[in-house]
């Protein structure tokens, strides 16, 4: 039985990876090295500070913590400039329809994102009122693949983890959901997301009945 669905934000509901990339690339440029799109893959689903650590590793640099905090704040200010200009057109295909259909069928819906910027993004894309709970990097700081974000989401919906399905585009996110004892739908590359129960390319055409059918058999 499925009682709740938990959605990651970046890469599932919106494509903010491109904005994260532009901001990290700008920081790398300032520090004097190139940061490629391939490097950026490693940052998906990873917290802001961990992302910075990976970036500095790519550049072969290291800094004291206070310097790193200053750099992360700088990157975030640039990132916020991009997401402030987001519009509802940037919702990924099928996401809004699925959220609405799930709730119409009595399924509870939560956000489960590592991003501290999720309130601003939800506001800009007009999905603030589409969730029964919003659990993100502001309420939970223990990063995926730890299960904390998803467990807190389930708790605030009042649903046991076994009745939850998590929608995730990042490997670390699928791990986190499995660690939480939840079912998983991977969004993207089946090779990368090979631990997910099912993998779909995106949410286009993903319906309530498809969800029920998929997890009836499991
Ligand atoms: C999501 C994204 C990551 C990002 C993290 C923190 O998990 O996939 O790329 O680093 O959120 O986002 P924030 O907006 O708090 O810097
Ligand atoms: Mg993601």
């Amino acid at each position: 039985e499925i009682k709740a669905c938990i959605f990651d934000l970046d890469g599932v509901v919106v494509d903010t990876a491109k904005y994260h990339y532009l901001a990290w690339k700008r920081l790398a440029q300032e520090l004097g090295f190139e940061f490629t799109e391939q490097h950026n893959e490693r940052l998906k689903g990873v917290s802001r500070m961990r992302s910075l650590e990976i970036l500095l590793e790519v550049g072969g640099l290291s800094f004291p913590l206070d310097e790193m905090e200053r750099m992360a704040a700088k990157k975030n200010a640039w990132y916020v400039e991009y997401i402030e200009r987001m519009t509802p057109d940037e919702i990924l295909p099928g996401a809004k329809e699925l959220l609405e259909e799930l709730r119409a069928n009595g399924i509870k819906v939560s956000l489960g994102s590592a991003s501290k910027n999720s309130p601003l993004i939800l506001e800009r894309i007009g999905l603030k009122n589409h969730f029964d709970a919003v659990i993100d990097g502001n309420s939970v700081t223990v990063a995926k693949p730890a299960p904390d974000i998803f467990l807190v989401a389930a708790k605030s919906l009042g649903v046991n983890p076994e009745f939850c399905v998590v929608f995730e585009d990042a490997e670390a996110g699928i791990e986190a959901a499995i660690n939480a004892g939840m079912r998983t739908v991977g969004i993207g590359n089946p090779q990368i997301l090979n631990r997910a129960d099912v993998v779909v390319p995106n949410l286009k055409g993903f319906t309530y009945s498809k969800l029920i059918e998929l997890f009836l058999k499991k």
Side-chain angles (χ1 to χ4, degrees), residues 5-62:
C5 288
I6 305 173
F7 291 82
D8 175 47
L9 179 63
D10 299 289
V12 173
V13 177
V14 282
D15 176 21
T16 41
K18 60 186 179 205
Y19 300 130
H20 280 296
Y21 175 56
L22 287 172
W24 285 125
K25 192 178 161 71
R26 191 167 160 187
L27 184 70
Q29 246 151 19
E30 252 192 33
L31 295 168
F33 65 93
E34 267 307 309
F35 192 71
T36 66
E37 236 162 308
Q38 203 183 332
H39 290 136
N40 193 57
E41 277 302 307
R42 294 177 60 194
L43 308 189
K44 286 188 181 169
V46 170
S47 76
R48 194 181 304 169
M49 277 311 263
R50 180 68 195 125
S51 297
L52 177 59
E53 283 169 15
I54 295 169
L55 179 120
L56 293 175
E57 203 180 286
V58 168
L61 300 169
S62 71

Side-chain angles (χ1 to χ4, degrees), residues 178-190:
I178 292 170
N179 291 336
M182 298 177 180
R183 261 70 81 77
T184 52
V185 177
I187 311 289
N189 186 332

